Amino acid sequence: MSDTSPKSGTTRKHTALPKAEILIEALPWLTRHHGKIVVIKFGGNAMVNEELKAAFAQDVVFLRHAGLKPVVVHGGGPQISAALDRHGIVSEFKAGLRVTTEDAMDVVRMVLAGQVQRELVGLLNQHGPFAVGLTGEDAHTITATKHTPEIDGESVDIGRVGEITEIDTGAIEALLADGRIPVVSSIARSQDDGHVYNVNADTAAAALAAALGAETLMVLTDVEGLYEDWPNSDEVISRLTASQLEKLLPELSSGMVPKMEGCLHAVRGGVRTARVIDGRVQHSILLEIFTDEGIGTMVVPDEKPDEQGES
């Protein structure tokens, strides 16, 4: 005989109430972001930890079901380094970028498009026929020319590393219109010499976000966000403007520079917000987009004179 006492019903209500409160807290954010494009740069520990990878795929599919239009951009630093090692090619970095010889470029292309992308597409498609993989080469999505950084005032050749010159969003927009989730590997076609280029994935995500007119750029990383006074303090800056970020850039560690430069480029290019969030936290994407508190560091455009004083 079933228990229909008032006590039992009260217990059930109390157990379910926190779930309802969480959903209600998400409502204004769901309304704000509905139909908007969100570009997510997938990287860091979230890319190699099995539980974090699965949680990431759940988050992205949730965004799609919640009415957003997620676009995933990925690199593959750890996987590339492991593959280069297996091929007897030494991994070398200059100016925070991977030195990419002709031989190394073949491995980079194989790992990004044939391994990392395939795995990510597979994880997303466990939840339905959503994800479609492409590289910057496909449909001229990303075009680049050779990037030659300056180190100590001198130009340095770092091989097949590209500087983005053009973005064509046609293929991505067609996939989004069809309800798909584009998964983009950060490889670019050459503007001038017939080769392909390895492009920093943070930079590629930012360029795509700006070109797509995205609502938000989210960059997953292995830290909580941008620290106020690292290493003296682990206090995270929760929000800063483009101008404030620009002043901080010269002081940042080399690993954070492309991420924060990407955020700056995105908001200066019309993206409403750019966020660096801790990819080591399960469901960090949902926490950032759908809760009042959020996590990580959010970069916003500079206030216009007539916006000052507004919330």
Side-chain angles (χ1 to χ4, degrees):
M1 184 174 178
S2 62
D3 183 359
T4 57
S5 66
K7 184 180 177 182
S8 174
T10 303
T11 302
R12 284 200 299 273
K13 286 177 186 175
H14 280 260
T15 304
L17 189 57
K19 296 178 182 178
E21 288 171 344
I22 290 167
L23 291 170
I24 290 302
E25 183 182 339
L27 180 58
W29 308 106
L30 283 165
T31 303
R32 176 180 296 180
H33 295 297
H34 189 84
K36 302 291 176 61
I37 296 173
V38 178
V39 176
I40 307 163
K41 190 296 182 123
F42 179 59
N45 213 47
M47 183 176 270
V48 292
N49 178 290
E50 296 302 322
E51 289 183 358
L52 291 174
K53 278 193 284 192
F56 173 83
Q58 288 174 330
D59 285 5
V60 173
V61 173
F62 185 96
L63 294 184
R64 190 262 183 199
H65 281 304
L68 287 77
K69 297 178 178 179
V71 176
V72 179
V73 180
H74 71 89
Q79 295 92 335
I80 291 169
S81 293
L84 289 173
D85 189 51
R86 288 196 299 272
H87 284 78
I89 301 171
V90 176
S91 290
E92 185 182 1
F93 293 84
K94 291 181 180 178
L97 298 168
R98 183 184 297 277
V99 177
T100 309
T101 62
E102 298 285 352
D103 288 343
M105 187 65 226
D106 289 339
V107 175
V108 168
R109 196 182 195 185
M110 175 182 68
V111 170
L112 291 182
Q115 177 188 337
V116 179
Q117 183 196 90
R118 291 297 94 206
E119 182 179 21
L120 186 49
V121 166
L123 283 169
L124 290 165
N125 285 344
Q126 286 179 10
H127 305 282
F130 304 129
V132 177
L134 65 156
T135 78
E137 300 170 73
D138 295 318
H140 294 185
T141 298
I142 305 175
T143 300
T145 190
K146 187 179 177 70
H147 176 56
T148 309
E150 279 198 6
I151 301 176
D152 298 328
E154 291 188 14
S155 295
V156 178
D157 186 349
I158 55 172
R160 289 276 156 214
V161 176
E163 183 172 330
I164 296 172
T165 57
E166 191 178 345
I167 298 285
D168 185 330
T169 59
I172 292 175
E173 289 176 337
L175 289 169
L176 292 174
D178 194 36
R180 309 298 178 180
I181 301 171
V183 179
V184 186
S185 302
S186 58
I187 305 166
R189 67 180 284 268
S190 170
Q191 175 182 292
D192 41 34
D193 62 10
H195 290 277
V196 294
Y197 282 103
N198 182 18
V199 176
N200 180 278
D202 298 311
T203 307
L208 281 169
L212 286 163
E215 171 79 1
T216 297
L217 167 68
M218 306 185 78
V219 180
L220 270 65
T221 186
D222 282 342
V223 293
E224 294 173 81
L226 189 61
Y227 294 113
E228 183 88 44
D229 184 26
W230 184 261
N232 303 314
S233 167
D234 61 359
E235 188 76 21
V236 172
I237 302 170
S238 60
R239 183 183 187 275
L240 75 168
T241 66
S243 291
Q244 289 169 333
L245 173 56
E246 194 168 31
K247 289 175 185 173
L248 287 176
L249 280 176
E251 305 167 20
L252 301 182
S253 64
S254 60
M256 284 299 284
V257 168
K259 299 181 193 318
M260 301 316 301
E261 281 183 342
C263 288
L264 181 62
H265 173 82
V267 297
R268 289 255 167 95
V271 177
R272 186 181 175 96
T273 63
R275 308 147 189 254
V276 173
I277 61 174
D278 193 344
R280 300 168 301 177
V281 177
Q282 281 201 25
H283 305 299
S284 55
I285 292 170
L286 299 188
L287 289 170
E288 179 64 21
I289 287 191
F290 294 130
T291 66
D292 293 337
E293 295 299 318
I295 58 173
T297 297
M298 181 167 70
V299 182
V300 298
D302 293 315
E303 290 182 340
K304 296 173 184 175
D306 59 350
E307 293 174 340
Q308 291 178 359
E310 296 181 9
S311 59

